Amino acid sequence: IMVFNSQTFIFLFLPITLIIYFFVGNRFKNYILLITSLIFYAWASVNHAFLLLIYILINYILGILISNFKNNNRNTSKIILTIGVIINLFILFYYKYFDFSIKVTNHLFNTNIPLKYIALPLGISFISFQAISYIVDIYRGDAVVNKNPFYVALYMSLFPKVTSGPIIKYKHIDEQIRNRSITIEKFSYGIERFIFGLAKKVIISDILGNMSDDIFSVLNTGIDTPSSWIAIICYTLQIYFDFSGYSDMAIGLANMFGFNFIENFNYPYISKSISEFWRRWHISLSTWFKEYLYIPLGGNRKGSTRTLINLLIVFFATGIWHGASPNFIIWGFWHGLFMVIERLIKDKDWYKKIPNFIKLILTLFIVMLGWVFFRV
């Protein structure tokens, strides 16, 4: 995998891509970006790059069909949308969760079904969610279907966002793919933002990660309480600077090519509640789940009990989206539990009287303990 902080990417792939991109005329820029994005993807696996092309073709056809039937036969369009969502979720399930489901089945029923050892395609979680966004936004009328298959392919494979996001909804980038401008100010800001993210990743996150890994690696032999807290604190900072650093680099790269990506982090560790934390942490994921899962489930429109159930469903999905492992499910339910508690007590007078700095400390404490489930 060619990560953004690798020498190959910084000193070879990126400069060559930029030179070619700015050398060609405007009508060819999207095609150059598409070709280089596919090369970036194929760097991890040529076979998976061909799979990506098939995946793109499927969603391109689905988008055309949904658009064609939307005005004349809404029910048919909805059926095609449903089939499309199922196809996208099935592909995600097969590559990311099929072996995990076999492990769970073997454990629960004492069976011995052999694992498939399916290789995980690069960025499959991000690509699947963006594919769902594409067909849903067309069905809802939030975006116009793109009849140019190369532009649809660019949306799904654009290399700045394919590995670690942010998750870009189609309606937010549709017009930018069709028509965008590149200025000196935007390009220089992109360089600045990329360097800023690179520094967060290399100078801060990697060093903190080495410290936390050293401590977590001896968990089986037992560690003392101070060392445990050092590991938790280091990992809490590491995961933020790592993930937000990648997002900064992605946003910076996007600006270099004339795109505007949404922000993905907004000082999450100053949150005074778990709900506020999720408005500040991995913003593109939390808003995706809100718009494409929580609201379609009914949101908070069908009574308090249904609202709490919807929250737990969303955070179960949030947990398992991060990885096919029980610890991610536990981490998701951990956050879901405190979201439910907050929903139940937020209007209580005694809760409103709690000082903000106390809420901040409690929230950070809950988040840090949650990272233990996430990490171990």
Side-chain angles (χ1 to χ4, degrees), residues 216 232 235 327 331 367-376:
F216 278 118
I232 294 171
Y235 186 70
N327 62 301
W331 174 76
V367 169
M368 290 173 68
L369 290 185
W371 288 136
V372 177
F373 296 120
F374 192 91
R375 171 63 176 79
V376 178

Side-chain angles (χ1 to χ4, degrees), residues 100 103-104 107 316 319-320 323-333 373-374 376:
F100 175 64
K103 290 179 183 178
V104 172
H107 179 75
F316 166 77
I320 201 166
S325 176
N327 62 301
F328 294 116
I329 298 174
I330 295 170
W331 174 76
F333 274 126
F373 296 120
F374 192 91
V376 178

Side-chain angles (χ1 to χ4, degrees), residues 38-236:
L38 293 175
I39 292 172
F40 179 88
Y41 200 88
W43 200 278
S45 171
V46 174
N47 290 336
H48 287 163
F50 283 111
L51 171 68
L52 175 62
L53 291 174
I54 296 172
Y55 197 17
I56 291 167
L57 179 61
I58 290 171
N59 282 280
Y60 170 75
I61 294 171
L62 287 168
I64 295 290
L65 292 175
I66 290 169
S67 177
N68 289 344
F69 284 105
K70 185 176 63 175
N71 296 325
N72 301 325
N73 193 331
R74 189 76 174 180
N75 288 334
T76 302
S77 182
K78 188 174 184 179
I79 291 171
I80 296 170
L81 172 67
T82 303
I83 293 171
V85 171
I86 291 171
I87 289 173
N88 282 294
L89 291 178
F90 175 79
I91 293 172
L92 177 61
F93 171 82
Y94 177 77
Y95 282 99
K96 194 167 184 178
Y97 305 108
F98 192 76
D99 275 342
F100 175 64
S101 64
I102 292 176
K103 290 179 183 178
V104 172
T105 302
N106 287 340
H107 179 75
L108 292 177
F109 301 103
N110 198 29
T111 54
N112 193 27
I113 303 172
L115 299 178
K116 298 291 185 180
Y117 296 104
I118 301 168
L120 188 66
L122 180 66
I124 186 67
S125 298
F126 294 96
I127 293 170
S128 297
F129 274 23
Q130 286 164 167
I132 292 172
S133 165
Y134 175 68
I135 58 177
V136 170
D137 287 350
I138 292 171
Y139 174 80
R140 290 176 175 174
D142 293 334
V144 179
V145 65
N146 204 321
K147 295 186 178 181
N148 186 331
F150 299 106
Y151 285 9
V152 177
L154 178 61
Y155 163 67
M156 290 183 61
S157 65
L158 189 59
F159 74 85
K161 65 178 177 59
V162 76
T163 53
S164 298
I167 300 172
I168 305 298
K169 300 166 192 167
Y170 178 65
K171 61 186 177 184
H172 290 161
I173 202 172
D174 175 29
E175 185 57 36
Q176 295 182 55
I177 290 177
R178 300 174 194 266
N179 183 31
R180 63 186 179 279
S181 60
I182 305 171
T183 63
I184 294 295
E185 291 77 16
K186 182 180 285 188
F187 185 78
S188 61
Y189 173 75
I191 295 174
E192 178 185 341
R193 191 68 183 268
F194 181 85
I195 294 172
F196 186 64
L198 182 65
K200 288 165 73 172
K201 165 68 176 142
V202 176
I203 298 175
I204 303 176
S205 175
D206 287 353
I207 293 174
L208 290 170
N210 291 334
M211 294 175 64
S212 64
D213 288 345
D214 288 342
I215 299 174
F216 278 118
S217 65
V218 295
L219 278 179
N220 291 334
T221 60
I223 55 177
D224 57 84
T225 301
S227 298
S228 300
W229 277 106
I230 290 172
I232 294 171
I233 292 169
C234 286
Y235 186 70
T236 298

Side-chain angles (χ1 to χ4, degrees), residues 299-349:
N300 57 2
R301 304 186 307 275
K302 297 187 176 182
S304 57
T305 302
R306 180 65 179 271
T307 299
L308 301 181
I309 293 172
N310 291 343
L311 284 171
L312 289 175
I313 291 172
V314 167
F315 278 93
F316 166 77
T318 301
I320 201 166
W321 180 87
H322 280 82
S325 176
N327 62 301
F328 294 116
I329 298 174
I330 295 170
W331 174 76
F333 274 126
W334 173 263
H335 279 266
L337 171 65
F338 285 99
M339 286 286 284
V340 167
I341 293 172
E342 282 181 12
R343 176 74 62 165
L344 293 173
I345 66 174
K346 67 175 183 176
D347 295 325
K348 304 291 185 182
D349 289 337

